[in-house]
Amino acid sequence: MAATSIHDLPEDCLAHVIAFTSPHNACESSIVSTMFRNSVESDLVWDKFLPYDYRDIISKLVSPIEFSSKKDLFFKLSTPLLIDGGNKTFAIDKFTNKKCYMLSARELSISWASNHLCWSWKPLLHSRFYEGAELVMVSWLEIQGKINSQMLSKNTTYGAYLIVKLARRAFGLDLLPSEVSIEIGDYKSIGTTYLRDHASKKQKLEHDYMQHKIDGSRSGVCEAEEHVVHIREDGWLEVELGEFYCDGKDKEVKMSFKEVEGEHLKGGLLVEGIELRPKD
Amino acid sequence: MSSSEERKLILKSSDNEEFVVKESSAVQCLTIKNLVEDRCVSDPIPLANVDSKILALVIEFMEKHAETTLSNSEKKEFDVEFVKKPFDDLLELILAANYLDFRELMDVLCNTCAKQMENWSVEEVREKFNIQNDYTVEEEKAARAENPWAFE
C-alpha cells in the first residue's frame, strides 16, 4: 500500500518526471489520468523537449509563428518550415526529438548550375522551396552540399538523402552508376547507385540497390550494406548519400552525388535538395 | 580561513530526528541556501515535509555530491546505486527534493522514474503512481484525439 504522500505528488513534480521521457511517451501518458494530462501540457516538459537553441531557430524562420504554449511550439516546429531566407527547411522529428534539415537546390553546389544551357532554375511542382533546379543537359553531373555538424543534434547518426525527380524526358542518368559520398572529419563513406525511372508505365517498378563501400580512412568503420532508392510520401525520390555520426563537435559535413565518369549527356533530373534526418 | 567549510547546520525531520550536516553540503538545497543567505537560520532547521528515513537518504546524496575529491564518473556510479530503491521511495525522495529545491537530486530521481515509466503500460503507470483513472469514456477519447500520432 503506497503512502498517502504519493497522492499528493504535485503536478510540477510529475511534469519534471515526464520531461525526462520523450515527446511520444509524454503524449501517450496523457491518458493515464487528468493530472497526467495537465502535467504533460506544462511548459516545463516541452521546454526540455525543444532544442536548446530553439529561440535562435525561430529567429531564422521566413514566416514568424505564434504559439500558445511550448507544447504548441514543439508541434508547429515538427513540420518542415522555411528558414534562412527560404533556402533551407527545419523540422524536429517528433519521434526521435532530433533536428532535421533540408538544403534547397540553391544551397547546394551544382556544377554548371549557372549556365542556362545546362541547368534551369524554376519553381518545381510539389516543392517546399520557391525554386529548384532542372537538368537540361550536361555530361559532368556533380551535386555537393555542406552543413556544419553543430546545426544538427549531437550524439546522433544521420542519413543524408538527395531529393530528386526524373522528368519524362530524363535520359542518360542510368547508363552508369552514380557515386555518392559523405565526409565528416576523418570519416568518409562512398557508395554507388543507379538513377532509374520508377514512374514510367513502360517499365516495371525496379528496385535499385546501392553498395556502400567504405574508404577505410582513419576512423570510418561501416559495414557494406545495400540501400534502396526510395519513393517518398510526397512523391519525390530519395537517393541515400550515406550516413554519419554527429558528435556535436565543430565539423563540416560534405555530401556529394556525381556521375562524371561517363562523357555522355544526361538530362531531365529535377533537384529539390538534400535532406538530413536521424537514422532509425 | 576555512571556517565556512566547517560550519555545521542541524536539520530536523518531521518526526523530530536531528541530523548534523556541513553547511557547504546543505546549501545544494536552495531552500536551505536561501535561509543561510538571508540569515534566517534557526537552530535546528525544521523540515516539516521530510521524515527521517527520507532525510537520511537526501543527506547521503547531498554529502556525496559535495565531495570535491570525487570525479563526475564516481558520482554517477554512486547515483546508479542510489536509485536502486522501491518506486514508492523514489517518489517520496522526489517530494523531498522538490521541497528542499535540490535540483541535482531531483534530476537524477526524475530521470530514473521516467526511464522506468517508459516501459510500463498505462495500467502499470496507474498502479505504480497509485493514481485512479478519472477520465470518462468521452474525455479519454478526446485526450487520445489530441495526440493521435502517439497512439498509432
Side-chain angles (χ1 to χ4, degrees):
Chain A
M1 194 69 168
T4 51
S5 60
I6 292 167
H7 291 284
D8 301 334
L9 192 73
E11 259 174 37
D12 59 334
C13 283
L14 183 56
H16 210 119
V17 173
I18 291 172
F20 279 96
T21 62
S22 64
H24 187 265
N25 209 263
C27 290
E28 265 189 316
S29 67
S30 62
I31 59 162
V32 168
S33 74
T34 57
M35 183 173 94
F36 263 75
R37 186 191 58 205
N38 294 341
S39 298
V40 168
E41 292 295 312
S42 122
D43 271 1
L44 201 157
V45 170
W46 298 92
D47 195 72
K48 192 144 186 299
F49 291 153
L50 283 164
Y52 72 95
D53 55 351
Y54 76 87
R55 286 178 190 86
D56 191 44
I57 291 165
I58 293 175
S59 71
K60 295 180 182 173
L61 287 171
V62 165
S63 310
I65 46 173
E66 284 174 16
F67 48 95
S68 53
S69 67
K70 298 257 166 94
K71 180 177 183 233
D72 187 33
L73 175 60
F74 182 91
F75 285 101
K76 287 197 162 123
L77 291 177
S78 69
T79 55
L81 295 173
L82 287 170
I83 61 167
D84 289 351
N87 286 324
K88 298 187 186 79
T89 59
F90 169 85
I92 304 173
D93 174 18
K94 56 191 184 218
F95 289 94
T96 58
N97 201 10
K98 308 276 184 183
K99 297 177 186 174
C100 305
Y101 286 91
M102 194 184 291
L103 310 176
S104 67
R106 275 290 184 201
E107 275 287 291
L108 307 176
S109 301
I110 301 178
S111 303
W112 299 105
S114 52
N115 186 326
H116 68 275
L117 296 175
C118 301
W119 288 86
S120 119
W121 291 88
K122 57 191 186 186
L124 298 180
L125 201 57
H126 304 308
S127 168
R128 61 181 69 181
F129 298 112
Y130 305 128
E131 59 177 5
E134 174 167 358
L135 177 59
V136 178
M137 191 149 48
V138 94
S139 65
W140 185 280
L141 174 57
E142 185 168 11
I143 301 170
Q144 294 185 340
K146 284 194 267 205
I147 190 168
N148 188 295
S149 65
Q150 292 199 310
M151 285 176 67
L152 305 169
S153 301
K154 65 180 191 180
N155 303 330
T156 306
T157 300
Y158 273 88
Y161 306 84
L162 180 68
I163 310 299
V164 296
K165 269 185 190 158
L166 299 171
R168 276 179 185 259
R169 55 175 272 267
F171 59 93
L173 294 165
D174 58 352
L175 291 183
L176 287 177
S178 309
E179 185 189 283
V180 295
S181 71
I182 302 239
E183 209 176 315
I184 171 173
D186 292 338
Y187 170 87
K188 184 166 184 175
S189 84
I190 302 177
T192 56
T193 185
Y194 280 93
L195 275 181
R196 292 248 161 86
D197 183 354
H198 291 257
S200 165
K201 291 172 192 167
K202 293 175 190 172
Q203 293 176 3
K204 285 190 303 182
L205 199 64
E206 285 180 336
H207 285 280
D208 295 353
Y209 291 89
M210 292 200 313
Q211 199 73 32
H212 270 276
K213 286 169 238 164
I214 302 320
D215 175 41
S217 36
R218 276 163 285 162
S219 49
V221 189
C222 286
E223 299 281 313
E225 10 173 348
E226 292 184 348
H227 293 266
V228 176
V229 173
H230 180 60
I231 303 172
R232 292 156 61 95
E233 270 178 25
D234 59 10
W236 289 84
L237 283 179
E238 61 182 35
V239 179
E240 185 170 346
L241 303 176
E243 64 177 65
F244 63 95
Y245 183 75
C246 174
D247 59 9
K249 296 197 182 128
D250 189 359
K251 291 178 193 167
E252 194 153 71
V253 185
K254 294 181 201 160
M255 302 157 282
S256 162
F257 172 95
K258 61 186 181 185
E259 204 289 82
V260 299
E261 298 298 317
E263 287 167 15
H264 64 281
L265 291 169
K266 304 128 188 130
L269 181 69
L270 301 157
V271 180
E272 162 93 318
I274 290 181
E275 179 175 75
L276 292 114
R277 62 174 195 258
K279 276 229 138 185
D280 297 322
Chain B
M1 274 289 259
S2 57
S3 58
S4 62
E5 278 159 25
E6 292 163 356
R7 240 198 321 248
K8 302 272 202 298
L9 295 174
I10 304 173
L11 306 178
K12 191 168 86 166
S13 67
S14 56
D15 49 346
N16 292 321
E17 211 179 301
E18 293 188 355
F19 298 81
V20 179
V21 296
K22 287 187 229 174
E23 182 184 290
S24 55
S25 309
V27 293
Q28 291 176 91
C29 302
L30 293 185
T31 310
I32 296 175
K33 183 169 189 240
N34 291 338
L35 288 173
V36 169
E37 284 176 353
D38 294 346
R39 298 172 198 270
C40 295
V41 178
S42 54
D43 197 9
I45 299 174
L47 301 173
N49 288 1
V50 190
D51 69 27
S52 52
K53 169 185 158 199
I54 296 298
L55 186 53
L57 292 171
V58 172
I59 289 171
E60 186 194 342
F61 186 95
M62 181 197 284
E63 288 182 335
K64 204 62 159 186
H65 277 252
E67 268 176 55
T68 47
T69 51
L70 285 184
S71 68
N72 278 336
S73 56
E74 281 170 316
K75 287 181 185 172
K76 283 209 170 107
E77 275 175 37
F78 166 81
D79 292 349
V80 165
E81 290 307 309
F82 183 81
V83 296
K84 287 180 182 168
K85 291 177 167 50
F87 195 74
D88 285 358
D89 285 0
L90 295 177
L91 290 184
E92 291 214 53
L93 280 163
I94 285 177
L95 286 172
N98 186 49
Y99 172 71
L100 293 167
D101 201 353
F102 189 173
R103 188 56 195 250
E104 218 178 324
L105 175 58
M106 189 69 168
D107 282 352
V108 167
L109 293 166
C110 289
N111 186 35
T112 305
C113 291
K115 296 298 174 267
Q116 290 185 29
M117 219 174 97
E118 278 174 347
N119 296 322
W120 296 337
S121 66
V122 170
E123 271 313 314
E124 279 174 298
V125 171
R126 286 183 184 134
E127 192 198 328
K128 297 274 187 172
F129 280 87
N130 198 26
I131 278 183
Q132 300 297 325
N133 178 9
D134 57 347
Y135 276 115
T136 64
V137 173
E138 291 84 23
E139 280 173 344
E140 188 178 315
K141 264 194 201 159
R144 281 178 187 269
E146 267 167 39
N147 301 293
W149 68 284
F151 303 103
E152 272 153 23

